[in-house]
Amino acid sequence: NVIYGFSNESDYKILDYKLEINKTTFDLKVNDQTFHITTKLVGKYNIYNYLVCLIIANKMGYSIEEITKKNDFITSPPGRMDGIKYKNSMIFVDYAHTPDAVSNVLNGVNSYKKDRIITIVGCGGDRDRMKRPIMGAIATELSDYVIFTNDNPRTEDEKQIMNDIVSGLKTDNYEIIHDRKRAIEKGVDMLDGEDILLILGKGHENYQIIGKEKMFHDDREHVKKYIEKKQEV
């Protein structure tokens, strides 16, 4: 068995770590030798994800020095805290679409935020209505500002979905923009300083279902196109 983590019994022991808007650094002690590691992966949970891969490669015979030389080539899977830098801000596209997933992403980002967290999120139509007010509460409580938008409304009335999401909210740090493209553009326009924009719910998906029609939509692609358009002006 191999033990890894923060405990003194760890074979691969994390000594210290620093979470930043676009990278994670930590010190790793193995057999009385300490390695300073920097990865583009963000969030504390990604230290554990990275370590699992490092340990497997190390046990296969690769030295830790060899492994860490490849860190610059390691990026997040498509749609999983997929980062896009914009000025001094960061935009993350993530698949989180359940209360637990949204809570985990927001709590993670809150641990290293410097300025505001702006969140774009919605709930699917013709699906579980019970989670909608929970999602609304989590988003507004853990973000500085929230834009609620469509996320595959399908055949359900988009206004009904939004009413469910905002019912019972005790804060007013949000707005509703049904059109997902416009919601993304508003979120990008709001960025200032070292803000973080989270675009949640679709991640790697490249479609939006409105009514019974499945149309092309890619959060990450739209962000990139809109940023290019703004830089041309």
Side-chain angles (χ1 to χ4, degrees):
N1 290 343
V2 175
I3 302 172
Y4 66 95
F6 289 91
S7 72
N8 289 329
E9 296 77 31
S10 296
D11 303 297
Y12 295 79
K13 184 181 179 184
I14 304 164
L15 299 176
D16 195 15
Y17 68 95
K18 183 179 181 184
L19 304 176
E20 297 183 58
I21 195 169
N22 60 349
K23 65 181 179 180
T24 302
T25 55
F26 65 98
D27 291 329
L28 178 68
K29 187 176 181 182
V30 185
N31 297 328
D32 295 323
Q33 190 174 359
T34 300
F35 302 89
H36 185 69
I37 295 173
T38 300
T39 171
K40 294 176 184 175
L41 303 175
V42 296
K44 187 177 179 181
Y45 69 96
N46 267 322
I47 297 177
Y48 295 105
N49 290 339
Y50 173 89
L51 264 186
V52 170
C53 297
L54 178 144
I55 291 165
I56 291 170
N58 191 216
K59 293 301 181 185
M60 289 173 66
Y62 296 95
S63 70
I64 292 176
E65 291 89 347
E66 286 178 291
I67 298 164
T68 55
K69 281 178 184 175
K70 304 297 183 183
N71 283 356
D72 284 347
F73 299 99
I74 301 172
T75 57
S76 297
R80 297 288 183 179
M81 289 303 283
D82 211 341
I84 302 164
K85 187 145 180 63
Y86 176 58
K87 297 181 180 177
N88 292 320
S89 300
M90 279 297 292
I91 301 164
F92 292 106
V93 174
D94 193 87
Y95 188 54
H97 62 283
T98 65
D100 276 351
V102 171
S103 177
N104 288 338
V105 166
L106 280 165
N107 278 312
V109 171
N110 268 291
S111 67
Y112 57 82
K113 79 163 189 172
K114 291 190 177 176
D115 291 325
R116 298 176 303 165
I117 295 174
I118 301 162
T119 301
I120 298 173
V121 68
C123 291
D126 302 332
R127 296 292 187 271
D128 181 13
R129 289 183 64 181
M130 299 294 289
K131 77 175 185 181
R132 293 173 187 171
I134 301 170
M135 296 262 284
I138 290 168
T140 52
E141 285 167 16
L142 297 177
S143 309
D144 294 282
Y145 196 75
V146 180
I147 302 171
F148 293 115
T149 192
N150 284 344
D151 183 346
N152 296 338
R154 300 182 178 87
T155 62
E156 193 172 350
D157 181 3
E158 60 183 20
K159 292 178 181 164
Q160 178 62 57
I161 297 170
M162 293 303 165
N163 286 342
D164 288 346
I165 292 173
V166 303
S167 65
L169 288 185
K170 297 180 175 132
T171 59
D172 60 357
N173 60 331
Y174 69 88
E175 67 180 288
I176 294 170
I177 301 177
H178 293 287
D179 185 309
R180 194 171 181 94
K181 285 186 171 65
R182 283 206 311 110
I184 289 170
E185 292 165 9
K186 174 67 182 287
V188 173
D189 287 343
M190 289 182 68
L191 290 172
D192 188 32
E194 293 186 56
D195 288 343
I196 295 172
L197 174 63
L198 295 171
I199 306 172
L200 306 181
K202 298 196 70 62
H204 62 284
E205 291 181 352
N206 62 357
Y207 60 85
Q208 177 87 304
I209 304 173
I210 300 176
K212 293 186 177 180
E213 187 179 353
K214 188 174 184 179
M215 55 195 73
F216 178 81
H217 171 82
D218 185 312
D219 283 347
R220 185 180 171 87
E221 183 176 305
H222 190 67
V223 167
K224 287 183 168 181
K225 282 183 177 176
Y226 188 62
I227 287 173
E228 285 172 10
K229 182 179 173 185
K230 284 173 71 71
Q231 289 169 340
E232 288 170 1
V233 176

